[in-house]
């Protein structure tokens, strides 16, 4: 289903959070959260990518602030959460538990779950664990966390971005390139900034360079500045090294628990980071979902076609939820 590509300024206008705070998770971690929009509106929770990328003020702007109660947070170790870049006690089951802690803290009964890239992974994992807490899903740039997908990121991307891949491996000795994940993981967890910072910049530059259909210097700049580069690279390598802390096939198996809920899947045709074959697999396993393939886009949510499709999905969901509310149904 093709979509038009309006300019990026079709996002909702900038808005400040109504409330924000730091939520104590355990003896080590504290999680940043914020709320914006309609305090009495339909709750929607934004799940950022990476893992480790963190959220930005623009992530509030995907949602109509008159209708939605917009909840944004930074996952463990990412963004404004502390300690920064921490991988101890940082696993997918713990992130799911963190979402539940935040939901209860904010007094939310059920919420729409919106996530792209790693955010789509966490959304599916959360939904399978807590289907009764989900109203609907809007997912973008699908990543199911398989070993094939991780290997594609580390090696397969060189088929389309050979220059970026050569830069990615330039400082890795030839023998270590047989296991790039281990080579990078060992550097990224090293305590010496002279070792982990260059590795973080190389990893983040590689990912950013492959994330858009057309070269985007701004996208590369945003993803490679410190401290974003370090949290993104270190936490991604941590999760990839541990097969995202979920059994193989767990996300597809978990669809049985959420298949009855509304879902939109948005995928760029030329997404190199999270190849369309994965979104196709999810769409075939979840035929009830609305599957939107954007014909002129890569991976980034900020590409015009992807942005338009996400905004259209949120508008379609708003109409659906309004119908239910007007019919006297509870959400």
């Amino acid at each position: 289903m093709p979509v038009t590509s309006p300019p990026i300024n079709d996002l909702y206008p900038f808005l400040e959070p109504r409330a924000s705070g730091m939520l104590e998770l355990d003896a080590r971690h504290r999680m940043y959260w914020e709320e914006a929009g309609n305090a009495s509106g339909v709750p929607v929770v934004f799940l950022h990518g990476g893992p480790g990328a963190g959220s930005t003020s623009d992530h509030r702007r995907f949602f109509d602030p008159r209708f939605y109660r917009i909840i944004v947070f930074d996952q463990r170790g990412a963004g404004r959460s502390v300690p920064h870049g921490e991988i101890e006690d940082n696993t997918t089951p713990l992130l799911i538990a963190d979402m539940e802690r935040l939901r209860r803290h904010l007094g939310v009964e059920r919420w729409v779950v919106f996530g792209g890239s790693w955010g789509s992974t966490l959304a599916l994992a959360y939904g399978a664990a807590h289907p009764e807490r989900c109203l609907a899903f809007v997912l973008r740039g699908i990543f199911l966390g398989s070993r094939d997908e991780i290997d594609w990121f580390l090696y397969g991307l060189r088929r389309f971005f050979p220059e970026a891949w050569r830069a990615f491996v330039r400082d890795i000795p030839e023998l270590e390139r047989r296991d790039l994940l281990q080579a990078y993981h060992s550097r990224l967890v090293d305590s010496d900034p002279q070792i982990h910072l260059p590795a973080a910049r190389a990893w983040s530059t590689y990912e950013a360079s492959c994330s858009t259909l057309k070269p985007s210097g701004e996208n590369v700049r945003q993803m490679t500045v410190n401290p974003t580069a370090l949290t993104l690279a270190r936490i991604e390598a941590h999760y990839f090294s541990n097969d995202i802390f979920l059994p193989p096939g767990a996300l597809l198996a978990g669809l049985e628990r959420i298949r009855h809920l509304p879902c939109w899947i948005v995928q760029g045709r030329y997404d190199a980071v999270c190849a369309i074959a994965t979104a196709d697999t999810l769409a075939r396993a979840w035929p009830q979902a609305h599957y939107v393939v954007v014909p002129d886009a890569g991976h980034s949510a900020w590409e015009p076609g992807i942005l338009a499709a996400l905004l259209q999905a949120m508008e379609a969901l708003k109409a659906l939820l309004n119908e239910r509310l007007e019919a006297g149904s509870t959400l």
Side-chain angles (χ1 to χ4, degrees), residues 47-51 53 59 62 115-121 139-144 149 152-153 157 161 204 206-216 219 223 232 236 240 266-276 278-279 294-307 309-310:
L47 306 184
H48 66 69
H59 290 148
F62 284 105
S117 193
W118 164 257
S120 74
T121 318
L139 310 175
R140 188 266 312 166
I142 306 304
F143 176 62
L144 296 178
E149 291 169 272
W152 170 261
F153 174 79
L157 280 175
F161 296 92
S204 300
Y206 171 62
E207 182 168 345
S209 299
C210 302
S211 290
T212 52
L213 182 61
K214 296 180 179 179
S216 171
N219 188 61
M223 289 180 65
L232 176 71
E236 279 190 353
F240 291 177
V266 175
Q267 181 72 30
R269 168 66 68 184
Y270 300 105
D271 186 337
V273 174
C274 294
I276 192 172
T278 303
V294 181
D296 56 350
H299 182 67
S300 173
W302 306 116
E303 297 201 68
I306 298 287
L307 180 62
L310 291 171

Side-chain angles (χ1 to χ4, degrees), residues 18 37-43 67-69:
R18 285 186 296 99
N38 184 350
S40 301
V42 174
F67 183 81
Y68 289 108
R69 178 184 176 186

Side-chain angles (χ1 to χ4, degrees), residues 15-78:
L15 71 163
E16 294 284 355
R18 285 186 296 99
S20 63
M22 298 293 288
L23 187 61
E24 297 282 348
L25 301 176
D26 53 33
R28 188 187 305 273
H29 289 273
R30 297 171 66 221
M31 185 172 78
Y32 173 82
W33 62 269
E34 63 183 35
E35 274 198 81
N38 184 350
S40 301
V42 174
V44 56
V45 61
F46 177 89
L47 306 184
H48 66 69
S55 62
T56 73
S57 59
D58 280 336
H59 290 148
R60 307 171 201 140
R61 301 174 60 201
F62 284 105
F63 315 106
D64 183 346
R66 298 163 299 180
F67 183 81
Y68 289 108
R69 178 184 176 186
I70 304 161
I71 300 165
V72 176
F73 71 97
D74 290 330
Q75 296 156 33
R76 290 181 177 230

Side-chain angles (χ1 to χ4, degrees), residues 310-328:
L310 291 171
L311 292 169
Q312 290 170 17
M314 292 309 301
E315 286 300 296
L317 178 57
K318 182 172 71 175
L320 175 64
L321 295 174
N322 260 327
E323 287 179 10
R324 293 181 180 179
L325 290 169
E326 289 170 0

Side-chain angles (χ1 to χ4, degrees), residues 36-284:
N38 184 350
S40 301
V42 174
V44 56
V45 61
F46 177 89
L47 306 184
H48 66 69
S55 62
T56 73
S57 59
D58 280 336
H59 290 148
R60 307 171 201 140
R61 301 174 60 201
F62 284 105
F63 315 106
D64 183 346
R66 298 163 299 180
F67 183 81
Y68 289 108
R69 178 184 176 186
I70 304 161
I71 300 165
V72 176
F73 71 97
D74 290 330
Q75 296 156 33
R76 290 181 177 230
R80 289 151 289 188
S81 293
V82 293
H84 198 75
E86 180 60 70
I87 59 175
E88 289 294 323
D89 301 323
N90 197 333
T91 68
T92 304
L94 287 172
L95 297 186
I96 294 169
D98 296 344
M99 289 180 63
E100 273 297 275
R101 185 184 294 267
L102 178 61
R103 184 191 62 76
R104 292 191 299 268
H105 177 74
L106 297 177
V108 172
E109 184 67 22
R110 301 173 73 199
W111 49 13
V112 175
V113 184
F114 180 109
S117 193
W118 164 257
S120 74
T121 318
L122 182 56
L124 291 169
Y126 174 82
H130 300 283
E132 74 284 356
R133 300 305 178 187
C134 302
L135 286 169
F137 297 86
V138 177
L139 310 175
R140 188 266 312 166
I142 306 304
F143 176 62
L144 296 178
S146 69
R147 178 52 54 178
D148 281 349
E149 291 169 272
I150 294 169
D151 286 346
W152 170 261
F153 174 79
L154 294 167
Y155 296 98
L157 280 175
R158 60 183 161 180
R159 296 178 179 271
F160 294 95
F161 296 92
E163 304 91 345
W165 191 82
R166 283 197 296 272
F168 179 52
V169 302
R170 181 176 52 221
D171 294 330
I172 305 297
E174 191 74 34
L175 288 177
E176 289 190 70
R177 295 179 191 178
R178 299 172 185 174
D179 190 346
L180 283 173
L181 184 54
Q182 172 57 32
Y184 263 97
H185 184 270
S186 65
R187 289 163 172 78
L188 290 166
V189 300
D190 195 290
S191 61
D192 185 352
Q194 297 299 315
I195 295 175
H196 66 240
L197 287 179
R201 283 192 291 269
W203 178 292
S204 300
T205 300
Y206 171 62
E207 182 168 345
S209 299
C210 302
S211 290
T212 52
L213 182 61
K214 296 180 179 179
S216 171
E218 178 60 20
N219 188 61
V220 173
R221 187 196 67 78
Q222 289 182 355
M223 289 180 65
T224 56
V225 295
N226 288 327
T228 301
L230 180 60
T231 60
L232 176 71
R234 178 182 285 168
I235 298 176
E236 279 190 353
H238 168 64
Y239 273 74
F240 291 177
S241 296
N242 289 279
D243 295 311
I244 72 165
F245 298 97
L246 291 176
L251 296 179
L252 291 178
L255 292 182
E256 290 302 324
R257 308 198 69 199
I258 57 176
R259 198 185 304 280
H260 62 289
L261 296 170
C263 178
W264 279 258
I265 300 169
V266 175
Q267 181 72 30
R269 168 66 68 184
Y270 300 105
D271 186 337
V273 174
C274 294
I276 192 172
T278 303
D280 182 74
T281 296
L282 179 63
R284 286 186 291 113

